[in-house]
């Protein structure tokens, strides 16, 4: 009995001692690749080495960083969702910062000609409708056209499971460009390999990539993001709830934008008398300037105490919340009605298929809805195996 207890304690200590080491932290692996080269970096506030921005760290190490490219939310991560971001100069280093979420979505041929290599170092949350993978593909396209290498500092995916309907390409948009499920179950490095392998770049060109892998990482690990990935994903719980709650952006129900607890609460004014929990969205610069139901009291549910680790372990997008909220909403014809507010997104583009909305309206069971995702979901899982770098 004592021996079994000792073995258990040793194994538990060993498991706790193993920590994922992101690609960016492995300077000994990639610094030789950057020596004597003119470097560009695609980064945001999640691009850190330890607790310091990777741009600052590599600049201090003598890497010749010629320019920095910032995605949605900007280089420092303080721009609202969907807001255009302008060019600027980094006050800390003097390096030009060029926006990829303003007038353009990828580096220009002139910018690429001034570089020898480009680095992509942005943490992702593993969802089709999170725009970092779109930025990745645009950068890969620019590198392919310029015949330049893209070095990817890989990072863990906090939602590393595969679930949801495969995007029907007739619903292709800025929040869904690839035929993948809601949660694709890949790191940025793995997804880059899939983009190349499946011919998703224009004219099926391929980008020369080198992935600096994460050490000691598995897809089923619960990973806590050290830096908030965007202004409205400001807690670990919001990151884990995001794949399920972002579907509500296609409804009249607020997910808490305009509060300091976004993507952890759900509610709408019309749910008064049905739910007791309340919150009031207001304009918050840098987070949500004109949120849905601004200055109105919303009634709904508080998910801040929800066991996000259990949700992660389940490995599924929770569609019960949207099913139940539709049943509770008193004005069914307005639930998905985009004409009710400019803030309501297109549920078909978020879900990726038109059937999902119709299934919710028709009262289909969760089992029936999930069954309709096949055989596409199983085919995707099989295809994904060709590109994974981690167990």
């Amino acid at each position: 009995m004592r021996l079994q207890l000792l073995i258990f304690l040793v194994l538990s200590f060993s498991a706790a001692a193993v920590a994922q080491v992101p690609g960016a932290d492995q300077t000994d692996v990639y610094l030789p690749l950057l020596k004597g080269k003119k470097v560009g970096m695609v980064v945001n506030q999640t691009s850190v080495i330890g607790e310091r921005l990777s741009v600052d760290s590599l600049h201090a190490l003598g890497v010749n960083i010629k320019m920095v490219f910032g995605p949605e939310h900007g280089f420092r991560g303080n721009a609202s969702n969907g807001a255009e971001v302008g060019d600027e100069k980094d006050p800390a280093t003097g390096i030009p910062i060029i926006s990829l979420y303003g007038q353009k979505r990828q580096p220009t041929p002139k910018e690429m000609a001034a570089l020898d290599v480009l680095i992509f170092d942005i943490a992702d949350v593993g969802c089709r409708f999170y725009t970092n993978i779109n930025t990745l593909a645009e950068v890969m396209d620019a590198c392919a056209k310029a015949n330049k290498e893209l070095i990817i500092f890989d990072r863990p995916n906090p939602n590393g499971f595969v679930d949801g309907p495969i995007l029907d390409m007739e619903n292709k948009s800025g929040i869904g460009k690839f035929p993948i499920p809601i949660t694709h179950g890949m790191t940025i490095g793995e997804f880059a390999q899939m983009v190349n392998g499946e011919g998703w770049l224009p004219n099926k060109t391929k980008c020369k990539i080198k992935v600096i892998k994460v050490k000691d990482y598995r897809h089923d690990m619960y990973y806590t993001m050290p830096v908030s990935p965007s202004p409205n994903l400001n807690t670990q719980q919001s990151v884990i709830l995001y794949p399920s709650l972002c579907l509500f952006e296609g409804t009249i129900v607020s997910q808490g934008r305009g509060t300091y607890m976004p993507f952890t609460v759900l509610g709408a004014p019309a749910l008064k008398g049905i739910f007791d929990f309340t919150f009031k969205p207001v304009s918050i610069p840098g987070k949500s300037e004109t949120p849905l139901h601004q200055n109105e009291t919303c009634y709904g549910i508080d998910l801040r105490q929800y066991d996000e680790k259990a949700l992660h372990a389940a490995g599924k997008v929770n569609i019960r919340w949207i099913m139940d909220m539709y049943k509770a909403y008193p004005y069914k014809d307005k639930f998905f009605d985009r004409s009710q507010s400019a803030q309501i997104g297109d549920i078909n583009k978020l879900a990726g298929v038109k059937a999902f909305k119709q299934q919710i309206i028709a009262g289909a069971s969760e089992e029936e809805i999930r069954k309709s995702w096949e055989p596409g979901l199983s085919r995707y899982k099989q295809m994904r195996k060709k590109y994974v770098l981690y167990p």
Side-chain angles (χ1 to χ4, degrees):
M1 187 65 179
R2 289 182 179 178
L3 178 61
Q4 289 177 326
L5 178 59
L6 178 61
I7 293 173
F8 172 77
L9 291 173
V10 169
L11 290 175
S12 297
F13 176 79
S14 299
V18 173
Q20 303 90 3
V21 182
D25 290 69
Q26 300 172 53
T27 52
D28 59 318
V29 175
Y30 62 79
L31 281 180
L33 305 176
L34 306 178
K35 187 175 182 179
K37 293 185 177 179
K38 293 173 286 188
V39 179
M41 296 187 71
V42 184
V43 291
N44 66 3
Q45 80 285 354
T46 67
S47 313
V48 294
I49 297 176
E51 296 183 355
R52 191 180 187 189
L53 287 174
S54 56
V55 169
D56 297 338
S57 294
L58 296 188
H59 179 74
L61 289 170
V63 175
N64 184 16
I65 304 172
K66 303 297 290 185
M67 59 191 78
V68 168
F69 299 92
E72 184 181 9
H73 306 299
F75 171 47
R76 299 291 177 182
N78 54 5
S80 301
N81 59 295
E84 286 199 359
V85 180
D87 296 346
E88 55 183 326
K89 184 170 284 190
D90 181 35
T93 62
I95 299 170
I97 301 171
I98 300 165
S99 172
L100 298 183
Y101 208 81
Q103 299 301 312
K104 61 186 179 184
R105 291 294 190 263
Q106 63 176 244
T108 65
K110 182 179 179 180
E111 290 161 352
M112 291 302 303
L115 301 173
D116 296 318
V117 66
L118 197 57
I119 292 170
F120 191 98
D121 179 25
I122 296 177
D124 191 57
V125 299
C127 296
R128 183 181 63 223
F129 32 63
Y130 204 68
T131 59
N132 288 346
I133 56 174
N134 299 347
T135 300
L136 172 67
E138 293 282 2
V139 169
M140 288 177 66
D141 182 38
C143 286
K145 289 185 290 191
N147 195 30
K148 301 290 174 72
E149 184 178 40
L150 180 66
I151 298 177
I152 298 172
F153 293 172
D154 217 6
R155 294 182 179 275
N157 175 359
N159 293 300
F161 60 94
V162 178
D163 196 35
I166 304 298
L167 173 73
D168 186 327
M169 293 304 281
E170 71 174 7
N171 294 314
K172 181 180 178 180
S173 70
I175 54 170
K177 292 190 173 183
F178 307 101
I180 59 177
I182 289 176
T183 51
H184 51 70
M186 310 192 85
T187 65
I188 284 289
E190 292 172 322
F191 194 81
Q193 295 197 139
M194 182 179 283
V195 169
N196 266 344
E198 297 303 310
W200 288 343
L201 293 181
N203 303 313
K204 299 187 182 298
T205 56
K206 295 188 186 301
C207 171
K208 183 181 179 181
I209 61 174
K210 181 173 182 58
V211 180
I212 309 301
K213 292 174 58 178
V214 185
K215 286 184 179 178
D216 302 317
Y217 171 67
R218 299 190 317 271
H219 285 284
D220 61 355
M221 284 180 166
Y222 184 83
Y223 174 72
T224 300
M225 301 190 79
V227 179
S228 297
S230 60
N232 284 292
L233 292 182
N234 58 353
T235 64
Q236 175 68 10
Q237 189 165 45
S238 65
V239 169
I240 303 301
L241 290 170
Y242 178 75
S244 305
L245 298 198
C246 194
L247 290 170
F248 281 92
E249 299 216 298
T251 76
I252 198 69
V253 175
S254 167
Q255 326 83 46
R257 289 190 187 273
T259 74
Y260 291 96
M261 48 191 179
F263 290 100
T264 61
V265 297
L266 295 169
L271 292 168
K272 182 178 182 179
I274 301 173
F275 297 103
D276 294 328
F277 172 71
T278 65
F279 60 91
K280 182 182 289 187
V282 298
S283 178
I284 303 177
K287 289 177 71 70
S288 187
E289 280 78 5
T290 56
L292 180 64
H293 304 312
Q294 183 174 342
N295 298 323
E296 296 182 77
T297 299
C298 294
Y299 299 80
I301 58 177
D302 182 359
L303 296 171
R304 285 174 294 175
Q305 302 304 315
Y306 193 84
D307 186 352
E308 74 272 16
K309 290 188 176 181
L311 180 61
H312 177 272
K316 291 182 178 181
V317 174
N318 187 321
I319 61 173
R320 289 296 324 175
W321 285 321
I322 193 168
M323 294 169 65
D324 293 343
M325 198 61 80
Y326 176 80
K327 290 177 182 177
Y329 200 79
Y331 310 112
K332 300 287 190 290
D333 58 325
K334 293 180 171 56
F335 191 79
F336 295 111
D337 188 358
R338 297 182 70 198
S339 67
Q340 297 298 311
S341 171
Q343 299 298 309
I344 298 177
D346 189 330
I347 187 61
N348 295 332
K349 292 177 180 178
L350 284 161
V353 293
K354 292 181 177 179
F356 184 73
K357 173 183 175 181
Q358 299 306 321
Q359 289 166 333
I360 298 292
I361 293 172
S365 68
E366 180 176 357
E367 182 181 4
E368 290 170 328
I369 294 173
R370 290 188 177 278
K371 187 176 181 180
S372 71
W373 300 346
E374 297 292 355
L377 190 56
S378 291
R379 284 199 297 260
Y380 170 82
K381 289 177 179 178
Q382 189 63 33
M383 181 263 285
R384 170 182 171 273
K385 291 180 180 179
K386 295 184 290 183
Y387 307 111
V388 293
L389 299 169
Y390 314 97

